[in-house]
Amino acid sequence: MSETIKGIAKETLDFIMEVSKSTYPNEFAGLLETKDGIITDVLILPGTESSEINAVLKLFMMPNISAVGSVHSHPSSIIIPSKADLRLFSKTGNHHIIVGHPFGPDNWKCFNGSGEEIRLEVLDVEIEEDELL
């Protein structure tokens, strides 16, 4: 029973691009979370290792959340999933975003768990911060 994804919040995609620029030439990686069917959050796992070649997520560090997919950057402008990407995709949901250098508004694609490109709408929505309990 997977959640229907309506799209990604523009603010979240902007955040992904900024983090990718700031970690360049190393890869950036995280997991995607939703609120009401919209991707609004990027979870950066403790212990994630990042280099110019790859970023390794420590999935055993994942808290009790339901990730709908993953996000990572490719320091090159090639936005095609690698074999390692496909292994990650199979473990972490069905919406996987890859962003490529130079990390502009058109330098990204979304893929399903099999590595096929899928359409993901960018939504201009207000992201509400959860209140602290």
Side-chain angles (χ1 to χ4, degrees):
M1 96 184 151
S2 67
E3 177 180 13
T4 299
I5 304 301
K6 301 172 194 166
I8 184 169
K10 182 182 182 310
E11 184 178 322
T12 303
L13 186 59
D14 291 346
F15 169 80
I16 290 167
M17 292 302 186
E18 287 305 313
V19 173
S20 297
K21 283 179 192 174
S22 72
T23 58
Y24 179 82
N26 290 345
E27 280 196 11
F28 155 74
L31 297 176
L32 301 172
E33 295 181 280
T34 61
K35 186 170 190 174
D36 300 325
I38 299 171
I39 297 170
T40 56
D41 293 305
V42 177
L43 176 66
I44 300 170
L45 295 178
T48 296
E49 297 173 3
S50 183
S51 72
E52 292 181 26
I53 300 167
N54 64 12
V56 178
L57 291 170
K58 306 289 188 182
L59 293 178
F60 65 89
M61 297 292 289
M62 188 164 72
N64 189 15
I65 59 130
S66 180
V68 296
S70 65
V71 59
H72 74 278
S73 63
H74 281 181
S76 71
S77 57
I78 300 169
I79 307 174
I80 298 171
S82 67
K83 288 180 181 175
D85 293 342
L86 294 174
R87 283 192 297 277
L88 173 67
F89 290 3
S90 70
K91 298 175 185 172
T92 55
N94 207 36
H95 286 76
H96 304 279
I97 297 172
I98 299 177
V99 299
H101 185 267
F103 312 113
D106 297 323
N107 300 116
W108 69 281
K109 292 181 182 176
C110 186
F111 302 89
N112 66 18
S114 301
E116 298 162 334
E117 188 174 342
I118 57 174
R119 180 171 160 70
L120 184 64
E121 196 75 34
V122 178
L123 305 171
D124 197 4
V125 295
E126 192 76 23
I127 298 177
E128 295 179 23
E129 296 295 323
D130 291 336
E131 291 182 13
L132 297 175
L133 300 177

